[in-house]
Every structure is written in structure tokens, then in C-alpha cells.
Amino acid sequence: MKNKNLIVGCGFTGAVLANKIAADFGEDIVIIDSKDHIAGSSYDYFDENGICIHKYGSHIFHTNNEKVWDYLKQFGGFNTYMHKVFAVIDGIETTIPFNLRSLYDVFSPHLAQKLEKKLLEQFKYNTKVSILDFKKQNDEDLKFLGEYIYDKVFLNYTTKQWGSSPESISEAVISRVPVFISCDKRYFQDKYQGIPLGGYTNLIKNILNNPKIKISLNTRYQDLKEKYDRVFYTGSIDEYFDYKFGQLPYRSLEFKLEEHNCEFYQSNSVVNYPNNYDFTRIHEYKYYLNNKSDKTVIMKEYPKPYEVGKNDRYYPIVNPDNQALYNKYLQEAQKLKNIYFLGRLGDYKYYDIDKSILRALEFFEGIK
Ligand code: UDP
């Protein structure tokens, strides 16, 4: 007899899993989401100006994983957009990650040349160095540079983003944005990069396009009456267990959209403001799909503490204590039959899109 499957959460993880169960097992799936749309945090929509707005902040697809790329491209084309991020430091716009070119943006040519020479003596070209390691220099000039980058790029941005200093968050988070001993100005170096041509929502709609998959929006797991043979839960595990061991900490965000009567507001899709204002960055959406309009739409991103029922969970705050709490919940979950937790919230991991997809594909291989 075929299983009746329930998937909780309609983001990439849930959608990919639904697609695989429907396509490879031929089983029925109900996929629910408490929101009024599919695509989770990747949700986007075209506004009245024809600009594709990423409702929950910029989402840029990038991967080195052939399996993920081959899987995803069945459901729609991608453009060749390669992401860059600028940051305003002391009123000067430069590229993030801080790289060899950034030296020339923020310092005099003489100082920039001297630092570049020393950097190339110290590190191999095209290497990425975590700022926390970069700061541990013996050379006086490189020590100065390490402190400069730490103070101007990381310290205040991270304090705004996480509500704590760079030392007190996981090194893996800070290392996502290294110091880059290179002239490569891109944010990511992955082989495959781009934005889905019809947007992320359309891509996920295509992934879910199977008569075996029934989508139910505005639906909370707690309110379901029907019983299922298997449940795949991509929400937060603490909520499933009614917070019995306490809440898993998350960071949330608030987004403020603005429409402007000009063709472009800023010089790039994302501009970071590490040291000014309460927002961390401004997104300008028309850059992603090259949408043409006399108007432009920007979004300011304000980090916030996560509060149950008040805002959404965006970033798990991964540290040893929180991981131990997650593990306690996971042990509880493993005592139950036929319920599985996965995804950024279900696994309590800071996944990028490609890692969520890979997790779902590998998980599926495991149950096959
Ligand atoms: N970060 C920073 N300054 C920047 C950009 C990033 O300090 O200008 C740090 C910050 O702690 C951030 C982390 O690097 O949370 C990872 O940044 P990323 O851009 O990968 O974050 P995401 O786009 O996932 O929010």
C-alpha cells in the first residue's frame, strides 16, 4: 500500500522532497505552509512596475554541486547574473569581500601598493582568509590592515546583524565573508550562479507541478485533523515539541520597501552599510533580472531579535549551547516513528539554497 505523506513547509527543502516522492515513488503528498504563498523565504513576485521583488531579501543561487544544478535546471532557466556586494566605508564604496582591489578604493595608491605587495608575499593569490585569522599578523602593516578590515567591515555589521560581537558568533558565519587575496570582485566563486528567469516562486511552482502533490496554504500543522503515514517537517523542531526544553534562538529581520521615481537608486543590487544606520544593507531588485522601468524599488533590511508569533525565523544562531538544545530535541524526535526533520529550521543549520536542495535530495536517497 502506498504511503500518505505530509510535508510541512513549502520552501526549497519541502518542494524538492515533494517532487521526488511524487515522481519516484508515485505517492500522494499534501504539502502545507502557514504562509499564504509557496517558496518560503525565497518567495518573490513581480510588482506593477514589472520588477521582481524578493520579499524576504535578496536570494542568489550559487553552487559547485553538479547534482544540485542538474536537478534544478529541469524546472526552469537561469540567467548568468554573478553577484557582487558593495559596502560604504567612510563614505567610500568598495567591494565585499574585501580584496586586493578594495585596497585601492580606500587607501592612497602608495599605501595600497605596499599592502598588496606584502599580502602577496604572505598569502597565495586567490586564497580566502577568515578575518579572525587575518587579524593574527606579525607584520605591522598587515596588522594595521587586519584591524582596519575588522573594524570597518565586520565589527559593526555583525553587531547589528547578530546583536553580538564577531567573536561570540560561530566562526563559520564570519568566514562566509572572508578577506579575499584576489582581484575577483564577485561575492561567490561557484561554477554555477544565477537567478531563475521566471523568479524563484515560479521555479518552485514548477518543482511542485505534479498531480500527486496537493498544496495547502494558510495551514498550520497544529490545526490538521487528518493522520498521515509519514511527516516531513521543515519547520523549527522546538515548535513541534511545544518548546518543552526551551526555545531555539533565531535572528529575525524586518524589511522596508521603498519605491523611487528614478531609474536606479544605487550602483549595485546590494550595498552594505556596516557602520551607519540601523539597517545592514539596501537591496535594489531590478538588477537581478534586468527589469526595465522608470521606477525602482529598494528594500532596507533591519535585523531584529526573533520573537515567537511576532516575526519570522531567518537565521539559526549556531553555537555549542544552542546546538546542544537542538540535539536534545532531535533525540526526542528520534523516539517517534515516521516523522523526519530537515531544512534550515528543521536541521537548525545556516543552509544556502543549494545546501537545502542537496539535503532534500540526499535525504530522499536515504529513505528510498
Ligand atoms: N558580514 C559583515 N560585514 C559585511 C558582510 C557580512 O560583518 O559587510 C558578516 C556578518 O556577520 C554576516 C556574515 O558575515 O552575518 C555572513 O554574511 P552573508 O552575506 O553571507 O549573510 P547573508 O547574506 O546570509 O545574510
Side-chain angles (χ1 to χ4, degrees), residues 213-230:
I213 302 175
K214 184 174 163 277
I215 304 168
S216 179
L217 300 175
N218 299 306
T219 307
R220 285 165 16 113
Y221 176 72
Q222 300 90 310
D223 301 333
L224 293 181
K225 300 276 179 300
E226 206 167 330
K227 292 269 168 280
Y228 292 87
D229 301 313
R230 288 194 300 209

Side-chain angles (χ1 to χ4, degrees), residues 153-154 157-158 161-162 173 176-177 187 272 281 315 350:
V153 177
F154 288 95
Y157 188 105
T158 299
Q161 170 67 19
W162 296 97
V173 172
R176 286 169 63 89
V177 181
Y187 208 56
N272 290 1
R281 50 190 169 185
Y315 299 94
Y350 191 164

Side-chain angles (χ1 to χ4, degrees), residues 289-303:
L289 288 173
N290 201 11
N291 302 133
K292 302 287 178 213
S293 170
D294 296 342
K295 294 186 177 160
T296 192
V297 174
I298 62 156
M299 184 135 93
K300 292 180 179 159
E301 180 176 329
Y302 297 81

Side-chain angles (χ1 to χ4, degrees), residues 10-53:
C10 217
F12 266 107
T13 308
V16 169
L17 196 56
N19 166 268
K20 293 300 285 179
I21 293 173
D24 293 19
F25 290 167
E27 293 184 355
D28 289 319
I29 298 121
V30 173
I31 183 165
I32 63 168
D33 205 291
S34 57
K35 289 211 168 359
D36 61 0
H37 59 71
I38 61 166
S41 300
S42 314
Y43 175 71
D44 57 12
Y45 61 93
F46 287 85
D47 74 355
E48 63 279 10
N49 304 306
I51 299 172
C52 186
I53 311 291

